[in-house]
Amino acid sequence: MTRKLFLALLAGLLALGLAGCEEEQGPAEEAGQEIDQAVEEAGEGVEEMGDTIEDASEGN
């Protein structure tokens, strides 16, 4: 009997945990994604600049 009760409670807790994982993002998650994107774009720009400098130093 206690095992069935324990399993039922465990299943209920797991269901609640999954219900808490919503797809909607809050403002902090959205800001974090925007920062990640900005940093990635800045890194790509620096890489392109490095390639340009390298090409210029090689005379291309």
Side-chain angles (χ1 to χ4, degrees):
M1 178 74 173
T2 58
R3 182 179 168 121
K4 288 182 182 181
L5 178 62
F6 174 75
L7 290 175
L9 288 173
L10 182 62
L13 288 174
L14 288 173
L16 287 174
L18 290 175
C21 297
E22 296 180 18
E23 290 295 320
E24 294 182 27
Q25 295 182 348
E29 288 88 0
E30 290 177 7
Q33 284 185 344
E34 290 175 8
I35 291 171
D36 289 344
Q37 184 177 0
V39 168
E40 185 176 336
E41 289 173 1
E44 290 171 359
V46 169
E47 186 176 343
E48 288 176 17
M49 188 182 342
D51 290 342
T52 303
I53 292 171
E54 185 178 343
D55 289 344
S57 69
E58 294 174 352
N60 293 334

